[in-house]
Amino acid sequence: MERLPGFRDFFPEPLPKGEAWSADVREYIFDRWKTVARRYAFQGYDGPPLEPLDLYKAKSGEEIVGQLYNFTDKGGREVSMRPEMTPTVARMIAARERHYKKPIKWYSTPQLFRYERQQKGRLREHFQFNADIFGEDDPGSDAELIALLIDVLRSFDLSAEDFVIRLSSRQAWQDFFTKNCSDQSLAHDFFQIVDKIERMAPEDSDQKFKLLGFRLEQVRDFIDSGKPSEELQNVLDNLSARGLSDYVKIDYNVIRGLAYYTGVVYEAFDRHGKFRAIAGGGRYDQLVNLVSGGKNDLPAAGFAMGDVVLVELLKDRKLLPEFSQSIDAYVLIEDEDLRNDSLRLVQQIRDFGLNAEYSMVAQKSDKQFKKALELGALFTVRLAAPDQAMVKNLKSREETSMPLKQVAEHLV
Ligand code: HAM
């Protein structure tokens, strides 16, 4: 039976032929995501992978709603697999924010599901690192998130030559729109065309803009001016104070496809433009209000980084470490009469926090030794008597005799 298109199996290294996704790489990425988030004093949270369909309708925008894995459950509820984390976290915050001191800084690493056309960098399931700040509307919080995004990418040894954060403002676009059009109901359609401007043929964009009373040239002039708005200048100054200005540039081509953004928005791209966006986010000050049906209100901002493009980029730059299983000690059981004492020894080594392996069934000693070498064990340990062990360093080949209780310490 084949797996579904757009879904992945994650195998331990070394990878079987033809398989691309490594469980070891995934663990490495999750580890970096969490480590850097904690360095910035973010706390972990999670939510359910299945949500009421209504959570996404009219909150995320048509594009994502068209990609939902939704169905009616056995209780007749309209539900959907989560395509993104932001509506879930807004729901959780709306319900429980009073319990937490502001600003609230939270991160998560959910698996998400979008029925997309499968292509490079886009699958039907992916993992994201999400980081969001609630209860602070100062641009200093946008800058804090962008600094975190930069530091997460730097933790994978990516540099300013590898990636750039393209910084823009939904508010600046809103101001441009209002100056040129009085019908606010057209704003969403206008933003959608801007969002596709880099991927669409100029004639097509121009035609679509004309239907809303705009000209492509006029929109391009605004993009090319690249003049930072006051809030963007504030973010730039904040990042510059941290020595991070090489990682960002103003780029009004970015507007973000999702419906809920209200202020500073940004996307991280590789410098050579070879890949889809690595990460994206921005300010969404009205979502908590919308999700809570007007009962609660809290400014919010955040971003998400996907694992798919990140792995493609790290592979391309040869920045993924090599993974091999490492074993501290292989316990050889040469005499089955000593199996129970050997199990006591295995347990002792593991209790000490080291990893130990052994043969679960009777096996010739040369086979056991071969297995220890295959696993790259640092030491073999065998019992000469119930309480006397022979510990061999497989690098120096030196063998030492010692009482059983001294073994674990000797292995460090
Ligand atoms: P998004 O731009 O839809 O934003 O997704 C963020 C990142 O997730 C993308 O830049 C990309 O790396 C990855 N990604 C998205 N869709 C796929 C896919 N089908 N396959 C592989 N990777 C994908 C959001 O999801 C917002 N909720 C981010 C956010 C958090 N805004 C505020 N807080």
Side-chain angles (χ1 to χ4, degrees):
M1 183 109 59
E2 293 284 316
R3 65 181 168 238
L4 290 168
F7 285 75
R8 295 172 289 175
D9 294 326
F10 290 88
F11 287 92
E13 305 255 358
L15 292 183
K17 209 165 164 259
E19 293 294 342
W21 298 98
S22 156
D24 293 296
V25 167
R26 191 175 84 177
E27 232 170 90
Y28 165 73
I29 285 174
F30 273 52
D31 180 62
R32 294 285 150 113
W33 281 349
K34 291 177 187 181
T35 304
V36 184
R38 295 209 182 101
R39 228 187 269 161
Y40 274 69
F42 279 65
Q43 291 180 289
Y45 73 94
D46 202 356
L50 197 66
E51 289 275 19
L53 178 63
D54 272 351
L55 188 63
Y56 306 110
K57 274 194 186 163
K59 285 156 195 132
S60 300
E62 294 133 42
E63 191 169 327
I64 267 204
V65 170
Q67 296 168 343
L68 290 178
Y69 270 91
N70 60 313
F71 56 96
T72 311
D73 78 2
K74 288 177 179 156
R77 295 174 203 89
E78 289 293 317
V79 295
S80 172
M81 302 288 286
R82 60 188 176 195
E84 57 157 339
M85 201 59 176
T86 315
T88 295
V89 72
R91 177 179 60 67
M92 290 167 62
I93 286 286
R96 293 280 183 256
E97 57 92 5
R98 276 185 208 90
H99 182 73
Y100 295 96
K101 295 220 164 37
K102 314 295 176 306
I104 296 168
K105 297 166 85 177
W106 282 4
Y107 79 87
S108 65
T109 54
Q111 188 173 23
L112 306 165
F113 305 88
R114 299 184 189 181
Y115 199 90
E116 291 211 49
R117 198 166 55 80
Q118 215 191 135
Q119 50 190 300
K120 195 162 166 267
R122 287 291 175 269
L123 300 173
R124 290 183 173 166
E125 131 306 294
H126 69 287
F127 290 91
Q128 275 186 357
F129 169 65
N130 276 250
D132 294 86
I133 299 182
F134 296 90
E136 184 52 72
D137 61 5
D138 191 275
S141 59
D142 299 289
E144 175 78 351
L145 286 157
I146 296 168
L148 169 61
L149 169 52
I150 293 168
D151 272 344
V152 168
L153 290 172
R154 292 206 306 183
S155 78
F156 294 105
D157 293 328
L158 291 163
S159 70
E161 271 140 53
D162 296 305
F163 73 91
V164 63
I165 316 284
R166 300 162 71 193
L167 196 55
S168 176
S169 163
R170 189 61 83 81
Q171 188 55 51
W173 272 113
Q174 177 64 49
D175 294 346
F176 172 83
F177 179 83
T178 316
K179 216 164 75 186
N180 295 287
C181 178
S182 55
D183 185 354
Q184 180 56 32
S185 69
L186 299 177
H188 180 68
D189 291 349
F190 174 77
F191 295 158
Q192 290 299 313
I193 310 169
V194 175
D195 185 47
K196 309 248 159 21
I197 203 166
E198 288 177 299
R199 278 170 275 156
M200 209 185 272
E203 318 75 79
D204 294 344
S205 302
D206 193 36
Q207 205 180 11
K208 287 185 188 259
F209 279 130
K210 277 196 180 121
L211 291 174
L212 305 178
F214 287 83
R215 283 172 299 109
L216 177 62
E217 205 189 332
Q218 174 192 16
V219 175
R220 282 232 174 280
D221 282 349
F222 176 70
I223 294 173
D224 293 343
S225 76
K227 202 170 148 279
S229 62
E230 199 184 320
E231 56 180 348
L232 289 179
Q233 191 56 53
N234 212 314
V235 172
L236 287 177
D237 292 346
N238 184 308
L239 292 170
S240 169
R242 304 174 196 232
L244 297 178
S245 47
D246 286 353
Y247 296 89
V248 282
K249 67 166 187 192
I250 299 293
D251 187 339
Y252 284 126
N253 280 296
V254 172
I255 190 165
R256 303 283 294 143
L258 292 157
Y260 46 67
Y261 293 110
T262 53
V264 171
V265 286
Y266 43 91
E267 284 182 340
F269 277 92
D270 83 289
R271 283 268 185 200
H272 311 316
K274 248 168 92 175
F275 301 95
R276 300 283 301 255
I278 312 164
R283 176 159 291 283
Y284 51 101
D285 283 344
Q286 274 133 41
L287 191 61
V288 173
N289 188 293
L290 193 65
V291 166
S292 68
K295 286 199 199 92
N296 212 332
D297 209 359
L298 217 56
F303 72 85
M305 176 186 301
D307 68 324
V308 179
V309 180
L310 180 63
V311 170
E312 284 176 351
L313 178 63
L314 294 177
K315 271 190 186 162
D316 182 75
R317 303 290 146 87
K318 306 207 170 5
L319 287 175
L320 282 175
E322 299 235 337
F323 296 94
S324 54
Q325 197 178 17
S326 81
I327 297 287
D328 294 314
Y330 194 98
V331 175
L332 304 166
I333 306 178
E334 295 175 334
D335 178 354
E336 283 299 314
D337 287 344
L338 292 174
R339 176 163 287 271
N340 282 347
D341 295 299
S342 302
L343 288 174
R344 185 155 56 92
L345 172 63
V346 168
Q347 191 65 34
Q348 194 178 306
I349 297 169
R350 289 174 175 171
D351 282 349
F352 199 74
L354 299 174
N355 71 20
E357 184 57 303
Y358 68 100
S359 174
M360 287 182 276
V361 292
Q363 213 174 35
K364 284 199 177 121
S365 51
D366 58 336
K367 274 213 169 142
Q368 293 182 50
F369 190 70
K370 201 168 148 227
K371 183 79 182 168
L373 293 178
E374 274 169 17
L375 291 175
L378 301 175
F379 291 90
T380 56
V381 189
R382 63 193 169 87
L383 293 185
D387 256 321
Q388 196 62 24
M390 302 295 290
V391 181
K392 187 171 192 172
N393 181 324
L394 288 185
K395 216 176 201 177
S396 65
R397 300 277 158 161
E398 208 177 296
E399 193 164 43
T400 324
S401 171
M402 65 190 68
L404 197 119
K405 63 176 186 310
Q406 284 178 17
V407 170
E409 258 171 54
H410 183 82
L411 300 176
V412 184

